[in-house]
Amino acid sequence: MPDDSLQITPQPVRRQVEERLREAIITSRFMPGEHLSDRMLCDLFGVSRGVIREAVRLLEAEGLVIVVPNRGPFVAYLSAAEATQVYEVRGVLEALAGHGFAERASTEEVAELRAVFEEIAATRPGADRMALLTLKRRFYDVLLRGCRNSYVARMLDQLLNRNSQLRATTLSDPTRLPHTVEEIRRIVEAVERRDAEGAWQACRDHVAQAARVALRILNERAATGGPAPARRPAARRRAG
């Protein structure tokens, strides 16, 4: 019989499970603090325990999952205080990306950023949240590629993964989308003018407004008795 410990996991299968589990967390199918048992996930996705554990490990690195010793993996809980810190760092990194993009992106990349924005602008309130998050991810992919700063791109990309739950949270507010569109329009118009300072400020303003909405929702949830979070012991806790 084949030794399961030596089997090679097909990359596409692991990637599919990782993406579907990430989507389930971002869209709140799995709520903060919920236990992600191996058996439940194996049954849900129809894959082996090894595939599940690899996907969980990768999402733990993104901060979407925490693994509590002797208890297993749980959906990570992000408090309002932690969210504030995430947005503070994201605001600076995103502004640097916008500034660099305005200065160094190619004409083709500027046009590509405009094209993705037009898709976002065409989205109507009530549209599929995951589809909109995918569009925003494409927007950031172009922005990070065109800013020509690999350090900013790497750090912001990692932070955006941690920020996924918060972005989904802001989009749960039915009034948020029109404001998001106008904020991103300002970013695109600034880079089209090659106005680096304007792009910096537009990015800072976009993140500040997103933070305001997310923190309001998180505080409202806490006040009404949200899910009890599973937390890693302080000495072992991963930084967000």
Side-chain angles (χ1 to χ4, degrees):
M1 291 182 61
D3 185 341
D4 290 342
S5 67
L6 299 179
Q7 294 300 298
I8 298 174
T9 302
Q11 181 74 10
V13 174
R14 193 272 301 158
R15 178 60 61 85
Q16 289 176 49
V17 172
E18 173 196 341
E19 291 176 352
R20 289 173 61 193
L21 182 54
R22 181 185 294 109
E23 178 178 345
I25 292 172
I26 292 171
T27 58
S28 300
R29 176 171 180 176
F30 294 133
M31 297 298 292
E34 187 168 347
H35 186 211
L36 301 173
S37 71
D38 286 353
R39 174 174 293 183
M40 182 270 289
L41 294 178
C42 287
D43 290 344
L44 180 64
F45 295 117
V47 296
S48 70
R49 182 171 296 181
V51 173
I52 291 298
R53 289 184 172 177
E54 178 65 10
V56 166
R57 185 186 66 79
L58 292 166
L59 295 187
E60 182 189 16
E62 293 180 9
L64 292 176
V65 171
I66 62 171
V67 177
V68 180
N70 302 317
R71 295 182 62 195
F74 292 79
V75 177
Y77 174 87
L78 198 65
S79 68
E82 291 168 322
T84 298
Q85 296 175 41
V86 169
Y87 277 115
E88 285 178 354
V89 177
R90 178 186 159 192
V92 174
L93 291 174
E94 196 160 315
L96 284 169
H99 189 283
F101 191 94
E103 287 190 330
R104 296 185 285 271
S106 68
T107 302
E108 292 75 18
E109 287 167 332
V110 173
E112 187 179 357
L113 196 73
R114 163 63 73 170
V116 178
F117 163 71
E118 294 297 344
E119 290 188 59
I120 295 173
T123 304
R124 294 291 172 259
D128 179 70
R129 211 185 334 172
M130 202 63 205
L132 184 54
L133 285 169
T134 299
L135 281 174
K136 286 205 71 180
R137 185 72 225 194
R138 285 174 51 201
F139 182 88
Y140 283 111
D141 286 345
V142 179
L143 188 73
L144 296 182
R145 177 176 7 110
C147 78
R148 301 288 187 277
N149 186 321
S150 60
Y151 293 97
V152 169
R154 185 162 56 249
M155 288 186 287
L156 183 55
D157 184 65
Q158 182 178 7
L159 195 64
L160 287 172
N161 286 331
R162 185 67 183 96
N163 199 218
S164 295
Q165 283 174 304
L166 293 173
R167 286 155 67 196
T169 297
T170 62
L171 292 175
S172 69
D173 182 338
T175 67
R176 175 61 185 153
L177 181 58
H179 297 288
T180 297
V181 170
E182 289 309 309
E183 291 157 19
I184 296 176
R185 187 191 306 278
R186 285 183 55 213
I187 297 172
V188 172
E189 290 177 350
V191 301
E192 287 176 333
R193 296 192 306 268
R194 299 295 183 173
D195 178 3
E197 294 302 322
W200 169 284
Q201 191 59 54
C203 287
R204 288 300 302 264
D205 290 345
H206 173 53
V207 175
Q209 291 304 313
R212 180 183 60 79
V213 174
L215 292 173
R216 173 177 58 78
I217 294 173
L218 289 175
N219 284 320
E220 287 173 354
R221 288 178 181 174
T224 56
R231 291 185 177 275
R232 184 182 277 118
R236 302 251 339 242
R237 232 174 129 187
R238 183 183 301 275

